[in-house]
Amino acid sequence: MNEQIPVKNVTPVKVHKPSSEQEGKRHDSRSRIYVRAVQGPLETFRRFFGLIFLGLFAVIPWLQYNGNQAVLLDIGEQRFSIFGLTLWPQDLTLLAYIFIVSAFALFFVTTFAGRVWCGFMCPQTTWVYIYTWFEEKIEGPRNKRIKLDSRKMDTDKFIRKTLKHTAWVLVALLTALTFVGYFTPIGELFIEFFTFNTSFWAGFSVIFFAVCTYANAGYMREIMCTHICPYARFQSAMFDKDTFTVAYNPNRGEQRGPRPRKLSYEDVKEKGLGDCIDCNLCVQVCPTGIDIRNGLQYECINCGACVDACNGVMDKMGYPKGLISFTSEERLSGGTTHIVRPKLVGYFVVLMVMVGLLVADIVTRIPLEVDIIRDRNSLYRETNDGLIENVYTIKVLNKSQQTQTYAINVKGLPDYRFIGDNQVTVAGGEVYSTPISVATDPYNLEDVVTEIQFTVTSLDGDETVTVNEPTKFIYR
């Protein structure tokens, strides 16, 4: 009972934000965040990485497979086609495995390298970069954009603003058309949309997602990351002292302050100054507008822009790089970062287990499903020649992408007569439904209810697929 809970002193963080006079005018020209362009290896890699995923996003819906759109998530038909794989509502476990694998992959990467998903792969980050690029090309660099927004409307300002917003609208419209193209045939969508012949829901979806893209990337920007996205809130649960995050080294940087470039590094240290010259470039290039020197903050998306900016300043001053870097709390405190640790290993093990289950589910998946529905109007009926007849509706679902022919047989019923199509052809990804009757002599029936099976066997392809669907044959 005498044991005390250890208490850790935490220095309050001063968050970089607009002045109190401008509070409540978040997007006023004097208080909005004007991100400064930055050059460096991390920024180059981030742009390259983002453009790769942007290219995949734009190209994938145009790919063809066996004469059809390779990736089509058709909600109306309740069918997801992904190249040679067709998913139906019955494949919910497979879809659940995909989401679980994605979640644990995100947890694993976040535990190891912080919010690199937000900084390098998140669509919001990529689209904000695209919008900012147009902004810089049309309105100029950061200082010119600030001056442009602060002056009254004139011809030059009107033309620049019109060009910028026109570019933003076009990007938003192309983004929305491409996104909706994952859920409806994209070739038809483009033609019908621009000829005003699209369906209501397809047209509404394009306009809705275009408005969302325009608002999110053009205006909300960092607000999406700091206030709306839930990932910014629960990321701290995955961080530990060994997680690599963008961090400022106060032991090396303080005391900060300006100094002439001609002053040698040794003279700087003799004067008691740190490496930080307080140029504020790390704040100006930050897409969320924080000051990384205040410590780890949930707004930081680990994009590394401040790392490139600071390294550029260190180069010009002749100081060692790495004042701001991807590092861990353990390393900043003088320790050694432990790459392999229980939490990281745990996430990796669970991730591998879920990947294994996903692969096993795909490999063992049978591309055929059969459903038997008994006639509810009558349990049985007696034919003119004295046979007992049961009526069923059989549904054959071809989960493959190729047309298949199937043979239908009955097991468990001796000397039966099959009335209906005992061989059917079903197109890829389609459902074939047909009524059939099974009749037999009552002397062959030992019980009132006889357990039987409908056997459906594929006749095409190198590998034979057979599905046995149980049902009942009723007499009396």
Side-chain angles (χ1 to χ4, degrees), residues 56-75 79-87 176-192 400-402 428-430:
L56 290 175
F57 167 77
V59 169
I60 286 176
W62 292 99
L63 298 179
Q64 296 290 308
Y65 184 83
N66 287 336
N68 298 311
Q69 188 169 320
V71 178
L72 182 59
L73 313 178
D74 196 333
I75 297 177
R79 178 178 62 195
F80 289 1
S81 299
I82 306 174
F83 291 90
L85 182 66
T86 302
L87 301 180
L177 283 167
T178 303
F179 181 74
V180 177
Y182 279 86
F183 301 91
T184 188
I186 191 167
E188 299 174 8
L189 175 66
F190 267 77
I191 295 173
E192 292 176 354
S400 69
Q401 295 284 344
Q402 294 78 34
E430 299 293 337

Side-chain angles (χ1 to χ4, degrees), residues 119 212 328 357 445:
C212 288
S328 66
L357 291 174
L445 303 174

Side-chain angles (χ1 to χ4, degrees), residues 8 31 46 85 93 95 97 117 129 131 136 194 199 242 291 318 328 337 370 406 435 444 456:
K8 179 180 179 181
S31 62
R46 184 169 72 90
L85 182 66
T93 54
L95 196 61
Y97 282 140
W117 159 263
Y129 162 70
Y131 273 47
E136 290 175 351
F194 288 108
S199 66
D242 296 299
D291 190 340
S328 66
T337 303
V370 179
Y406 301 101
N444 295 328
V456 180

Side-chain angles (χ1 to χ4, degrees), residues 8 74 110 113 118 142 165 271 355 391 421 447 471:
K8 179 180 179 181
D74 196 333
T110 303
C118 296
R142 180 178 182 271
H165 287 283
K271 292 179 178 294
V355 169
V391 180
D421 297 331
D447 297 316
T471 188

Side-chain angles (χ1 to χ4, degrees), residues 387-406:
L387 299 180
I388 302 302
E389 182 183 53
N390 281 203
V391 180
Y392 307 87
T393 297
I394 183 169
K395 291 186 176 182
V396 180
L397 170 59
N398 180 7
K399 291 184 176 181
S400 69
Q401 295 284 344
Q402 294 78 34
T403 299
Q404 298 284 341
T405 300
Y406 301 101

Side-chain angles (χ1 to χ4, degrees), residues 172-419:
L173 188 59
L174 288 175
T175 300
L177 283 167
T178 303
F179 181 74
V180 177
Y182 279 86
F183 301 91
T184 188
I186 191 167
E188 299 174 8
L189 175 66
F190 267 77
I191 295 173
E192 292 176 354
F193 182 82
F194 288 108
T195 57
F196 304 101
N197 290 322
T198 184
S199 66
F200 170 79
W201 286 112
F204 173 79
S205 299
V206 171
I207 298 300
F208 175 78
F209 287 111
V211 171
C212 288
T213 303
Y214 177 81
N216 291 346
Y219 290 96
M220 300 184 73
R221 295 190 177 181
E222 76 283 351
I223 295 177
M224 289 293 298
C225 304
T226 58
H227 297 294
I228 299 177
C229 178
Y231 184 47
R233 301 294 178 174
F234 69 77
Q235 62 160 340
S236 58
M238 290 167 273
F239 279 22
D240 55 38
K241 291 185 177 181
D242 296 299
T243 298
F244 287 98
T245 59
V246 173
Y248 165 75
N249 188 347
N251 296 325
R252 200 186 124 185
E254 303 298 328
Q255 292 286 336
R256 70 182 76 160
R259 76 288 307 269
R261 188 184 299 184
K262 63 182 180 180
L263 196 66
S264 68
Y265 192 64
E266 292 74 16
D267 292 339
V268 169
K269 295 303 176 183
E270 288 180 3
K271 292 179 178 294
L273 291 174
D275 289 0
C276 179
I277 66 173
D278 205 19
C279 63
N280 267 347
L281 280 181
C282 57
V283 178
Q284 295 176 17
V285 301
C286 179
T288 58
I290 65 170
D291 190 340
I292 194 64
R293 296 170 297 180
N294 290 331
L296 180 64
Q297 298 153 65
Y298 80 89
E299 295 95 339
C300 178
I301 62 173
N302 269 28
C303 65
C306 56
V307 176
D308 283 333
C310 187
N311 284 341
V313 172
M314 294 297 104
D315 265 344
K316 292 177 181 179
M317 297 299 296
Y319 298 169
K321 294 181 180 180
L323 177 59
I324 301 175
S325 63
F326 274 92
T327 186
S328 66
E329 183 182 349
E330 187 69 29
R331 182 177 293 178
L332 285 177
S333 62
T336 302
T337 303
H338 302 91
I339 302 297
V340 180
R341 51 195 188 274
K343 181 192 289 188
L344 194 64
V345 172
Y347 281 135
F348 180 76
V349 170
V350 175
L351 176 61
M352 289 299 101
V353 170
M354 299 313 300
V355 169
L357 291 174
L358 172 62
V359 172
D361 200 350
I362 295 176
V363 171
T364 59
R365 181 175 178 269
I366 300 175
L368 170 63
E369 187 164 318
V370 179
D371 191 17
I372 306 295
I373 304 173
R374 284 187 49 84
D375 184 11
R376 297 183 180 181
N377 293 325
S378 62
L379 296 178
Y380 72 95
R381 66 186 177 188
E382 187 173 348
T383 64
N384 294 332
D385 49 2
L387 299 180
I388 302 302
E389 182 183 53
N390 281 203
V391 180
Y392 307 87
T393 297
I394 183 169
K395 291 186 176 182
V396 180
L397 170 59
N398 180 7
K399 291 184 176 181
S400 69
Q401 295 284 344
Q402 294 78 34
T403 299
Q404 298 284 341
T405 300
Y406 301 101
I408 304 173
N409 296 289
V410 178
K411 290 182 180 180
L413 194 64
D415 194 20
Y416 67 89
R417 184 198 300 174
F418 191 94
I419 305 170

